[in-house]
Amino acid sequence: MHLADYHQQYSPIGGSLGLTAMFAILPLLVLFVLLGVLRMRAWLASLISLAVSVVVAIAVYSMPLGDALNSGLLGAAFGFFPIMWIVINAIWVYNLTVETGHFDVLRRSFAKISDDQRVQAIIIAFSFGALMEALAGFGTPVAISSVMLIALGFRPLKAAALALVANTAPVAFGAIAVPITTLATVTGLPVDDLGAMVGRQTPILSVVVPLALVFIVDGRRGLRQTWAPALVCGLTFGVFQYLSSNFWSVPLSDIIASLASALAVLLFTRVWHAKESYVEPEATADESDVDGVDGGGGVSTTPRGPRGGGDTAVATRPRADVGAEVRDTPMEVFKAYAPYLMIIVVFVLATRVPAITGKPPAKPGQSGTGLEAVTQIINWPGLHVYNASGKVVATTFKLNYLSAAGTLLLIAGLLTLPILRVGAGRALRAYGKTLDQLKFAILTVMLVLALGYIMNESGATTTLGLLVAGAGGAFAFLSPILGWLGVAVTGSDTSSNSLFGALQITAAGQANLSATLMAAANSSGGVLGKMISPQNLAIAASAVGMQGKEGVLFRRVIAWSLVFLLGMCVLVFLQSTPVLSWMVVGS
């Protein structure tokens, strides 16, 4: 029993893709204008944009109301599980460490690596965030690294902006390279070729991102004074991401690169010190973080005095441990790191040990093995959609109760409770507070995913993709934009690759371009849409306790997204020409 058999059509208005696309893009335009221009709260902007997407689906694409609403329900369900399920448990683990005081220990431990917060931003937002992306993905690194930065004294919105901008270069290989394996599945291209090709694009981005982070923290002065550790971090990450994706292991690319970059910065800061040490000043009454005053540059640094071979920093932001040197015992330091070490151990075991990982069911009604033994693949009730070729559009919902990244985070948190000496009652109360803290973020993400699914199921997203794909030889330049658009809508490089992967290689064939290059460009361009995705904006704002300020965040990161995207477009275009064709896999 289903509501209707809906057959997608991609140019319903006068048979014109261009004219139809003007209507197809309306939900996104409304969303970004409400967020970035009118500064509307994210959940309300998402709700209004969702209503626009329903109207477009019905009025332009002739999608039955029932199918439009049902598509939205499927998207909303996906928004909660697995996406917000990850964030809820990640923030719960963090809240536990805050309540027990162990996060202060962690902060002091990070501060010992470098007392310069520009360097701390590189290590936490980029290297540690990349490790979290490698293990979990789906918003986890943004949630965890942003709150870690706050614990180090960063202002909330600056911490969120840093986490969002940093969450770029590692994304294509995130969650043990799920975006790459998904791309291989939908395109039929070898996963090793795709991984190698992406590994010849995103490493170049990784060199630039840490430099952008120190600029966000302290403007041109920060770039001038701390370009060296930023470059060491980015170059090391890029080199090891390239080596791993091309020669060692595609799934382990981010894990290897993130650990190598963190170690490189740690060793470099043993012999290098900036002339001035930067610490965030305390905001004054008329210098509100909400108003965006701290958005890079203009914040005073503190000159460093003699310190043997280096200098001594004097903090200008009051902190709980200022005025007396706090010495943490090795056991206290271990407890502070325990939740994150446990996360790493649990994810490695769950994703790299075949007997534990198991295999998921191939289709509805089948059973999996290992952690996937209880996984269910459900045909979404009442929703049957066919594309223009008559093929069924995927409308299944996966309930991987045990193998979901959010569940693994929950397990890691539970295993850490005895180490932190947290009882069941206290843990439950912390979980309740976490749910209350994230209630609007949960609503926002569910609404945004509902919007994305309505656009996908109605055919609106494909309309936009076909319009870009019809650019002929210029498609090499526009290809990353398609991936960027997909991630901006869905918040996921994996989803964008599922959506546009096959379209990329079809367009490549029409334009006589490398299919591997164009498919990889979808993923590499997609990572740059992550920071402006309403889903990730909501996660970041909620993680730092700034719900409703998603529009402020959007304005802070949109320029970085567009500048990086332009660079990726130029790189892919040059790779399609004799200038850089030697970089293309199989050339």
Side-chain angles (χ1 to χ4, degrees), residues 168-443:
T168 47
V171 168
F173 296 97
I176 318 296
V178 167
I180 304 295
T181 54
T182 300
L183 187 61
T185 299
V186 300
T187 61
L189 297 173
V191 66
D192 288 339
D193 286 354
L194 290 170
M197 190 65 245
V198 173
R200 302 179 189 193
Q201 295 170 336
T202 56
I204 297 173
L205 175 66
S206 70
V207 176
V208 181
V209 171
L211 295 170
L213 297 181
V214 298
F215 182 85
I216 292 172
V217 175
D218 191 28
R220 285 177 292 181
R221 177 178 48 210
L223 191 60
R224 184 175 64 253
Q225 294 182 355
T226 52
W227 64 268
L231 197 59
V232 166
C233 181
L235 280 172
T236 304
F237 187 94
V239 167
F240 278 90
Q241 191 183 59
Y242 163 74
L243 291 174
S244 184
S245 61
N246 278 264
F247 305 109
W248 303 335
S249 168
V250 172
L252 295 180
S253 296
D254 276 353
I255 294 178
I256 294 171
S258 61
L259 294 176
S261 64
L263 179 61
V265 175
L266 175 62
L267 294 176
F268 185 73
T269 53
R270 299 306 90 188
V271 298
W272 171 94
H273 301 285
K275 292 182 179 180
E276 294 177 316
S277 178
Y278 176 89
V279 178
E280 287 279 292
E282 188 171 15
T284 60
D286 60 345
E287 188 183 23
S288 171
D289 186 37
V290 173
D291 294 331
V293 176
D294 70 322
V299 181
S300 61
T301 55
T302 304
R304 304 179 62 163
R307 187 184 66 177
D311 307 301
T312 301
V314 180
T316 57
R317 172 187 281 271
R319 293 184 182 177
D321 50 279
V322 169
E325 185 177 355
V326 178
R327 295 185 179 275
D328 299 307
T329 66
M331 179 55 68
E332 289 173 328
V333 174
F334 168 75
K335 288 181 179 179
Y337 280 92
Y340 303 98
L341 293 173
M342 189 67 71
I343 288 172
I344 294 172
V345 170
V346 169
F347 272 93
V348 169
L349 291 176
T351 58
R352 304 308 297 169
V353 179
I356 298 176
T357 305
K359 294 183 179 180
K363 57 184 180 180
Q366 293 186 348
S367 299
T369 60
L371 288 176
E372 303 285 1
V374 296
T375 295
Q376 292 180 291
I377 297 180
I378 302 170
N379 284 317
W380 193 255
L383 188 60
H384 287 240
V385 179
Y386 299 84
N387 63 21
S389 301
K391 295 181 180 179
V392 178
V393 176
T395 53
T396 57
F397 185 66
K398 183 178 180 181
L399 283 169
N400 51 332
Y401 304 99
L402 291 180
S403 65
T407 304
L408 297 180
L409 284 168
L410 176 61
I411 292 171
L414 293 173
L415 292 175
T416 309
L417 292 180
I419 300 175
L420 299 180
R421 295 186 177 180
V422 175
R426 190 177 183 185
L428 281 173
R429 287 192 296 273
Y431 208 93
K433 291 179 181 177
T434 302
L435 289 174
D436 181 65
Q437 173 187 348
L438 295 174
K439 57 181 180 294
F440 287 111
I442 294 171
L443 175 61

Side-chain angles (χ1 to χ4, degrees), residues 28 171-172 179 183 201 461 464-466 468-469 475-504 517-533 561 565 568-569 572:
L28 296 181
V171 168
L183 187 61
Q201 295 170 336
T461 307
L464 298 174
L466 289 172
V468 176
F475 182 65
F477 182 85
L478 299 175
S479 177
I481 298 176
L482 202 55
W484 177 86
L485 178 65
V487 176
V489 174
T490 65
S492 164
D493 200 39
T494 300
S495 298
S496 178
N497 287 343
S498 299
L499 199 59
F500 291 136
L503 185 63
Q504 290 274 11
L517 174 61
M518 294 301 98
N522 193 83
S523 195
S524 298
V527 306
L528 304 173
K530 189 95 170 177
M531 68 180 83
I532 64 164
S533 164
S561 180
L565 177 62
M568 186 61 67
C569 289
V572 172

Side-chain angles (χ1 to χ4, degrees), residues 132-146:
M132 290 295 99
E133 179 67 36
L135 296 172
F138 296 102
T140 307
V142 171
I144 292 181
S145 60
S146 59

Side-chain angles (χ1 to χ4, degrees), residues 15 21 162 403 441 507 564:
L162 287 167
S403 65
F564 289 157

